[in-house]
Amino acid sequence: MSATGDFRISGLQFPDGFTFGAASAAYQIEGAATEDGRGASIWDTFSHTPGKVANGDTGDVAVEFYHRVDEDLDLIKSLHLSAYRFSIAWPRIIPAGTGEVNEAGLAFYERVVDGLIARGIDPVVTLYHWDLPQPLEDRGGWTNRETSYAFARYARVVGERLGDRVAVWTTLNEPWCSAYLGYASGEHAPGHRSELEALQAVHHLNLAHGLALIELREVVTRPDAKFSVTNCLATAYAADPANPEDVDAKRQIEALQNRAFTDPQLRGFYPPDLLEDTKHITDWSFVRDGDVQLINQPIDILGINYYCTGTARRGPEHSTEGTPYPGATRVEAVEQPGPYTDMGWNIAPHGLYDLLVATHEAYPEFDIMIMENGAAYRDQVVEHNGVKRVHDPERVDFLLRHFAAAHRAIKAGVPLTGYFVWSLMDNFEWAFGYAKRFGIVHVDYETQERTKKDSALWYANLAETGVIPEQLAGGILSSPGRN
Ligand code: IFM
């Protein structure tokens, strides 16, 4: 199935009990940045630093989820979603990262969890979606192993309060981004550019995941609660699969982006080839005896986020300072064929299929959930006879093709149990601010009015029936090209 070709779907039925959800993250939606005892996070600092975020946007107000919980939970209900994935802001729970617990923060998330359950929607909680309390960053952030232990305590505090109700726990969201975009390329908070720091961050994020799981398993009481971690795994191809040098370039990307996380988390070791590739940066002596055993805790669900593909080839020797690929000194990225979304990311549903199959082959014992998949487009509200609509045929087509790819993976034997569309609503897209719209629900940032896009209506039908009805995909997926 190519991204551009027409194809007809004739009623694809998802298995009974398949989770149809949507996802979000605290800093991207909540606003209320200084209310009810919330402390500052690295994203408050970063977004308030001139030049770091497009248009000087910040998450101070975002889409006011903090003040619109009931309205937004009703919205989720109206879309027939069986689960909602949201993240908890560590600085609302333990404002300084360590020390005092903020009751108002716990009470807020309790309201969200109870509101979801009352509406028959499973709460899926991410504990860390990038909003590290600033006081921890002031002591080294993820380069400091104390941060891992502080995270474990935070996980315990949340688990003690919500552990009788939350359906699925995911410890970290995309630690690749936290480590490499945060500490190597500086595109994300805290904005550092150090290859060594990035690799230290990789390890301390992994350690945080393991330590948090140990705490959670002690305090969570919901008998059918599931535990997971969410990685954004690269779907990497070799430019020329017959050329061993290109194959090696792909191996290096997979080691840095995928196995640096999944091997310690799921297998209890760091990939020897990763240590070799990065030995000019560090001897990894920050990995202490026993750490990998702590990291390698049992999980039930492997969460993956998928957006696009990458292709690698062997290139001339170059420095990787300031890039998100520490040590990949002879790897060159190959331009991906379009069409593209408004992020400039290529649309490749076959990549989702390949990733699901490859992940299942490598780690066959885990159920898999797609914790994020979606697309940004330049959506506009139109009015017909006084009714507001957002026509987003590209996003409908994107989702249709990716759900079809997921269905194909299930047929091929992948134990895929759920799919969360990114994102429920338009929101703060990190360094892009509010310039990129990923929501299936449009938000007018002036008025905070929510309008369901056509993709939300399409998805609501899928979530309600479990079936992609007979439909023609094609002719819609086109884009003006990369930004
Ligand atoms: O918005 C982000 C999300 O926070 C993490 N995964 C990728 C999304 C789109 O960039």
Side-chain angles (χ1 to χ4, degrees):
M1 175 170 54
S2 84
T4 43
D6 288 2
F7 75 107
R8 180 166 289 285
I9 285 175
S10 54
L12 298 181
Q13 168 117 40
F14 280 81
D16 281 351
F18 189 83
T19 297
F20 293 100
S24 67
Y27 190 70
Q28 294 180 272
I29 63 165
E30 284 178 3
T34 54
E35 290 179 44
D36 295 339
R38 179 185 178 276
S41 83
I42 54 174
W43 270 97
D44 295 288
T45 308
F46 192 75
S47 65
H48 281 268
T49 306
K52 297 296 186 192
V53 174
N55 306 313
D57 291 342
T58 73
D60 288 1
V61 176
V63 295
E64 289 186 351
F65 176 71
Y66 194 79
H67 292 298
R68 293 169 183 266
V69 171
D70 291 324
E71 177 192 345
D72 288 339
L73 299 190
D74 286 345
L75 179 65
I76 299 168
K77 171 89 183 146
S78 76
L79 296 177
H80 306 289
L81 303 185
S82 47
Y84 177 53
R85 174 176 176 236
F86 62 99
S87 82
I88 292 189
W90 184 351
R92 281 198 199 282
I93 306 297
I94 305 178
T98 56
E100 214 176 305
V101 173
N102 178 31
E103 168 56 31
L106 285 168
F108 171 68
Y109 293 108
E110 186 157 55
R111 208 176 129 211
V112 175
V113 166
D114 288 347
L116 287 166
I117 291 172
R119 290 167 177 81
I121 302 160
D122 279 339
V124 175
V125 162
T126 309
L127 283 169
Y128 187 69
H129 201 126
W130 309 353
D131 40 5
L132 183 72
Q134 182 61 39
L136 291 179
E137 175 55 31
D138 296 341
R139 301 202 289 278
W142 289 112
T143 71
N144 180 349
R145 67 186 278 125
E146 288 309 313
T147 298
S148 314
Y149 286 88
F151 180 72
R153 174 179 174 246
Y154 151 67
R156 185 179 188 96
V157 167
V158 177
E160 277 172 347
R161 184 63 165 260
L162 303 176
D164 55 340
R165 284 160 281 176
V166 167
V168 179
W169 295 88
T170 202
T171 51
L172 308 175
N173 181 70
E174 299 180 350
W176 180 87
C177 295
S178 303
Y180 299 120
L181 300 183
Y183 290 89
S185 72
E187 294 155 77
H188 279 188
H192 296 193
R193 285 163 72 97
S194 158
E195 298 190 297
L196 171 61
E197 285 186 13
L199 297 175
Q200 290 171 329
V202 166
H203 178 57
H204 296 136
L205 283 153
N206 282 330
L207 183 61
H209 155 78
L211 293 172
L213 276 181
I214 294 170
E215 300 293 334
L216 280 178
R217 286 211 183 256
E218 275 181 28
V219 296
V220 164
T221 55
R222 180 171 160 158
D224 61 346
K226 305 260 189 267
F227 300 90
S228 69
V229 60
T230 298
N231 292 299
C232 56
L233 301 178
T235 310
Y237 301 96
D240 176 0
N243 178 342
E245 295 203 318
D246 289 356
V247 172
D248 192 61
K250 161 184 145 71
R251 172 201 62 71
Q252 231 176 304
I253 295 305
E254 286 178 340
L256 274 170
Q257 185 159 342
N258 301 356
R259 290 182 284 114
F261 301 99
T262 51
D263 277 351
Q265 291 165 2
L266 310 176
R267 294 287 177 254
F269 63 84
Y270 277 101
D273 58 324
L274 171 73
L275 307 188
E276 179 66 24
D277 291 342
T278 54
K279 69 178 183 213
H280 59 290
I281 302 170
T282 175
D283 61 4
W284 289 74
S285 52
F286 45 80
V287 180
R288 297 197 190 159
D289 283 353
D291 278 4
V292 286
Q293 287 74 24
L294 289 172
I295 295 169
N296 179 214
Q297 297 300 316
I299 61 163
D300 308 296
I301 297 167
L302 183 50
I304 62 172
N305 293 353
Y306 173 81
Y307 288 91
C308 56
T309 57
T311 299
R313 74 170 160 233
R314 175 59 56 94
E317 188 84 29
H318 61 275
S319 162
T320 53
E321 282 289 340
T323 79
Y325 294 101
T329 53
R330 294 190 63 195
V331 177
E332 205 170 70
V334 177
E335 174 89 359
Q336 297 298 280
Y340 308 104
T341 68
D342 191 35
M343 293 296 282
W345 298 345
N346 67 310
I347 300 165
H350 67 274
L352 176 60
Y353 174 83
D354 291 348
L355 179 64
L356 288 168
V357 169
T359 305
H360 176 54
E361 270 170 22
Y363 306 105
E365 69 270 42
F366 302 109
D367 281 353
I368 298 178
M369 279 191 170
I370 298 165
M371 291 293 199
E372 287 181 25
N373 174 249
Y377 288 104
R378 295 178 196 180
D379 307 307
Q380 275 173 359
V381 179
V382 292
E383 223 169 300
H384 299 299
N385 303 327
V387 179
K388 289 186 176 160
R389 299 284 305 270
V390 178
H391 300 305
D392 58 344
E394 301 96 338
R395 189 176 287 101
V396 172
D397 201 58
F398 179 101
L399 291 175
L400 167 60
R401 288 168 189 270
H402 285 78
F403 270 98
H407 187 271
R408 196 154 67 89
I410 294 171
K411 289 279 167 235
V414 175
L416 180 71
T417 59
Y419 195 135
F420 292 80
V421 169
W422 185 270
S423 184
L424 175 68
M425 297 178 279
D426 294 335
N427 59 50
F428 176 80
E429 176 54 25
W430 307 113
F432 295 91
Y434 297 98
K436 304 291 177 191
R437 293 182 176 273
F438 272 92
I440 54 173
V441 173
H442 180 275
V443 179
D444 178 329
Y445 295 123
E446 296 293 315
T447 62
Q448 295 290 349
E449 186 181 1
R450 277 80 163 132
T451 305
K452 287 177 196 171
K453 302 178 189 177
D454 288 353
S455 56
L457 305 176
W458 178 87
Y459 190 38
N461 181 261
L462 171 58
E464 187 177 18
T465 61
V467 179
I468 305 178
E470 178 158 8
Q471 221 161 332
L472 180 70
I476 293 172
L477 277 183
S478 62
S479 68
R482 284 178 178 277
N483 312 341

